[in-house]
Amino acid sequence: ATVGQVTAAALIDRRDSPVSETRGTFSSISIEQAARGLGSDARYGKVFLQQSAFRSWGPVVIAARVLAGTGFGPDELLPVDRFFAGGGTTVRGYAENGLGPLYADGTPSGGRSMVVVNQEARVSLGRWLSALAFVDAGNAFDRDQFSARDLRVGYGVGLRVNSPIGLLRVDFGLPASTPRNSSRRAHEVGSGRYYLGFGLSF
């Protein structure tokens, strides 16, 4: 399939640091419109919003983020533009893109909409090391309406190492529920996952 679209985005960054925030907010919105006149095989639009907030209490920094996105228009979103949830940067405790609708073979197909909520409590353990505890919740959907009961929750702990090659991220997450659309053992309650990466998760 061919995607032809125009994109507009805006952001407001009021954080005290882009890499080690202790206070402030970050807001962004992006809008995409695919149209036949732009060479696209489908007609639809997408809206994606992000809101993050940071506040410190002594040595502890509380960080929170909300991600929300939805599609609209007469046609279904093409696979490249569908929303995914689950994994090290969205809902920890679950497989990468493992939440939301699946194809018949069990692989993630993405959804028409998505909601993710992240909460972290971060504390510095010295110049090079910090630790955190987190709770994540979210899911991807093939519908525009959903309830809080549709969200899947993950929780866990993590370490951040300020190394010479950049900030290293190690998280261990546990799922608090089993997705209704999957019976795979990797998604069962109590089956934890490790996540490795660079930079903060948000």
Side-chain angles (χ1 to χ4, degrees):
T2 300
V3 180
Q5 60 189 13
V6 60
T7 302
L11 64 87
I12 300 175
D13 191 348
R14 294 178 175 172
R15 298 172 295 175
D16 59 342
S17 169
V19 294
S20 57
E21 311 93 333
T22 61
R23 63 182 183 275
T25 60
F26 178 86
S27 309
S28 69
I29 179 173
S30 65
I31 302 174
E32 300 177 8
Q33 180 65 55
R36 296 275 169 78
L38 297 173
S40 180
D41 290 336
R43 297 170 298 162
Y44 58 77
K46 281 177 58 180
V47 177
F48 184 73
L49 303 106
Q50 174 177 333
Q51 178 64 57
S52 303
F54 308 87
R55 185 167 181 178
S56 60
W57 279 276
V60 179
V61 175
I62 302 298
R65 181 182 68 169
V66 176
L67 302 176
T70 189
F72 58 88
D75 297 331
E76 288 296 319
L77 300 182
L78 294 175
V80 68
D81 277 330
R82 292 176 69 82
F83 294 97
F84 294 86
T89 59
T90 53
V91 185
R92 287 160 286 189
Y94 300 89
E96 195 69 26
N97 299 332
L99 297 176
L102 303 174
Y103 289 114
D105 63 359
T107 58
S109 65
R112 184 179 175 88
S113 59
M114 179 265 283
V115 173
V116 171
V117 180
N118 307 108
Q119 185 80 46
E120 290 186 352
R122 305 169 179 171
V123 59
S124 176
L125 301 179
R127 182 178 178 182
W128 304 103
L129 185 65
S130 61
L132 61 87
F134 64 83
V135 177
D136 300 332
N139 212 337
F141 312 91
D142 254 342
R143 59 189 188 280
D144 296 327
Q145 295 182 345
F146 59 91
S147 68
R149 292 180 297 177
D150 295 321
L151 299 180
R152 297 293 170 258
V153 177
Y155 60 94
V157 295
L159 290 175
R160 303 292 182 265
V161 181
N162 191 11
S163 74
I165 61 172
L167 186 67
L168 302 180
R169 181 177 75 247
V170 180
D171 290 329
F172 177 74
L174 288 163
S177 56
T178 302
R180 296 175 184 173
N181 61 5
S182 175
S183 60
R184 288 176 288 180
R185 294 186 59 85
H187 286 146
E188 290 179 355
V189 176
S191 178
R193 291 179 178 272
Y194 286 95
Y195 305 91
L196 305 177
F198 286 95
L200 296 170
S201 54
F202 66 92

